[in-house]
Amino acid sequence: MRIGYYVHHHGRGHATRAGVIGAELTRRGHVITYLGSGALPDGDQVALASDADEADAPFVDPDAGGRLHWAPLGGGYAERSAQIAAWVTQARPDVVVVDVSVEVSALVRLLGVPVVVVAQPGRRDDAPHALAFDLAAAVLAPWPARLVVAPHLERHRDKTVEVGGLSRFAGHAAGPNAAGGGSSACASPNSSESVASGPRADGSRDAGGCGVAADVSQSTAPGAGSGGAAIDAAGGPSLGARRGSDSDGAAVNVPEGLSAGMPRGAFSDATSRGAQEIPRLRGVLLVGGEGWDDAELPGAVERAVPQVHWRTPDADHPVEVLLATADVVVTHAGQNALADVAAFGVPAVVVPQERPFDEQADMARALDDAGIARGLTLGATADEVAAGIRELLAGGDERSTGRAWARWCVDGAVDRAADVIEAAARGGVADLAAGTDADDLEGAVRGSRHGIDDVARAGVAERGVREAGGVARGVEGGSGWPAATGAEAPALGDGTLQ
């Protein structure tokens, strides 16, 4: 199958997602060509001309009277469109994935090629977006089923498939989603299952949009946690397991009255009583290439929560290694960052940034409403972020342990995305959009956010029954944190956060 993949030039997140999906499609034997004017994944590429050359300014009627987003009269769009049309004519693709552009979606469909439109969260009920969704053979939503972040897609329910979060680290991370899985592991968009599903009668908790029951009564063996810490019964790192060295390698003493195996919540109790000589937790600050709206926020958070040793990913401290050994993360609400955090199952405070159509604000709200992460509002202050961090550290629920991220359906998401694209090329995704009811799926995931000790899953999928097993892998060192134990760090990627 010949597949085109249009990559929007704004930021690097679209290219990262394209690379994740494209790698799976290539593994299946398909030929992929990436088209765009910005960063593109490695592989066959068509570098498109810019559609916003300042030499063409001022742009006249760029939205075509409100029917398009960007098609200025007399601008540089003609060359760009001609390049796309020439490639389609020559390559004769079976399907083109568009992430994201209303104009490219319309052009490709006019050229007689089925289009898969990658959905974005936020309030996209305007006429141009409606046109793209109307023309699409399939709408691929990179979040779990039933998450209310794009209500405008309800009118396109018959061709919308929520595949779960798409992360580069799925299947590599030692977290609740590291189990592998089949393409029907995510519940049907029409299923009655909710992302915020409650406990089942048998005592397990359904993984929401994944259709997988996570047994929260189990924990991994001591030593499988962050930095080699044991995992206590509530799923948090047993701080006493790090007794003997703090973040700078100095000896520490657990305050009197605190057990050697105290759970995460005891950290808050200790600090509230003025005890300082306990191991510092590990925190990660994540933001995309555009930086924080409030450039002072990271520093203010570090000052407000000094009990946590904070890191920001860089060339020396890859994001995947920091996440694999973190106790808490503060992140923006971009899709790739959320999927990566979910892959490692780290308790998170989500601070939305100003983006078009309120996409990050709506996502942070939905995460908070679903009990998956602590989502804040636009313009959140350092004090509000600090309060969210303390709430997570003091809590004992799934959000505080990171297990709630299992409901983000990172496990198997890339397989489901590839299934959608293949189905669109064959003539439609009605069967996938209808899906398989979660009650038809059987499985159990037992473990903590840092390791899976046993995984069993069976799912009835279009491509047959798939089974996968997982083994716990705790990351004990090489993480870029002070006083790391020296164990080899996982080689999971280039360490850049998109």
Side-chain angles (χ1 to χ4, degrees), residues 463-484:
R463 295 168 56 220
V465 177
R466 300 176 181 176
E467 297 178 352
V471 179
R473 183 176 72 169
V475 178
E476 297 185 352
S479 61
W481 300 102

Side-chain angles (χ1 to χ4, degrees), residues 42-43 58 79 87 91 99 117 135 142 150 159 277 294 369 435 467:
D42 291 338
E79 182 180 356
W87 178 80
D99 184 4
V117 172
L135 295 175
K159 56 183 173 183
E277 293 184 321
D294 177 4
D369 289 347
E467 297 178 352

Side-chain angles (χ1 to χ4, degrees), residues 127-458:
H129 275 112
L131 173 63
F133 297 135
D134 285 341
L135 295 175
V139 179
L140 191 161
W143 53 77
R146 310 299 291 178
L147 192 76
V148 184
V149 292
H152 55 277
L153 292 179
E154 285 304 311
R155 65 185 290 261
H156 305 284
R157 174 51 56 204
D158 62 336
K159 56 183 173 183
T160 297
V161 185
E162 292 100 335
V163 300
L166 294 161
S167 172
R168 298 163 290 167
F169 308 128
H172 297 287
N177 300 301
S183 63
S184 66
C186 206
S188 162
N190 295 326
S191 166
S192 60
E193 298 292 344
S194 166
V195 171
S197 296
R200 289 176 178 264
D202 62 3
S204 66
R205 178 176 294 273
D206 185 81
C210 301
V212 178
D215 185 350
V216 299
S217 67
Q218 302 294 322
S219 63
T220 60
S226 170
I231 303 296
D232 73 305
S238 174
L239 299 182
R242 292 201 203 122
R243 185 178 183 180
S245 65
D246 64 7
S247 64
D248 296 317
V252 296
N253 295 309
V254 177
E256 184 178 354
L258 295 180
S259 69
M262 62 183 181
R264 185 188 304 279
F267 183 88
S268 177
D269 296 338
T271 54
S272 67
R273 301 206 307 266
Q276 299 298 323
E277 293 184 321
I278 62 176
R280 295 172 75 190
L281 298 183
R282 296 168 172 180
V284 181
L285 295 164
L286 296 184
V287 66
E290 297 177 71
W292 296 96
D293 291 345
D294 177 4
E296 304 300 320
L297 184 66
V301 169
E302 292 185 28
R303 291 189 295 272
V305 193
Q307 305 95 328
V308 176
H309 186 92
W310 295 100
R311 285 283 199 200
T312 299
D314 56 31
D316 296 324
H317 308 119
V319 60
E320 65 269 26
V321 178
L322 293 185
L323 288 177
T325 54
D327 298 295
V328 66
V329 62
V330 175
T331 179
H332 63 111
Q335 293 299 291
N336 290 313
L338 295 177
D340 289 351
V341 172
F344 288 94
V346 188
V349 175
V350 180
V351 185
Q353 305 298 288
E354 288 275 5
R355 295 294 185 270
F357 307 101
D358 289 331
E359 63 180 60
Q360 290 207 9
D362 285 1
M363 181 57 71
R365 173 194 49 75
L367 285 165
D368 193 71
D369 289 347
I372 293 174
R374 183 66 178 94
L376 303 181
T377 58
L378 285 173
T381 66
D383 287 342
E384 291 172 320
V385 176
I389 295 167
R390 295 189 186 101
E391 178 183 329
L392 289 180
L393 296 179
D397 59 7
E398 285 187 311
R399 177 164 62 181
S400 295
T401 63
R403 283 202 192 94
W405 279 116
R407 302 201 295 273
W408 204 244
C409 293
V410 169
D411 177 32
V414 68
D415 284 317
R416 293 187 287 273
D419 288 344
V420 170
I421 296 164
E422 289 177 337
R426 291 194 301 266
V429 296
D431 290 342
L432 289 179
T436 302
D437 192 277
D439 290 338
D440 293 334
L441 303 173
E442 298 177 359
V445 176
R446 295 192 299 275
S448 75
R449 67 187 181 87
H450 289 289
I452 302 295
D453 65 321
D454 180 65
V455 177
R457 173 178 300 167

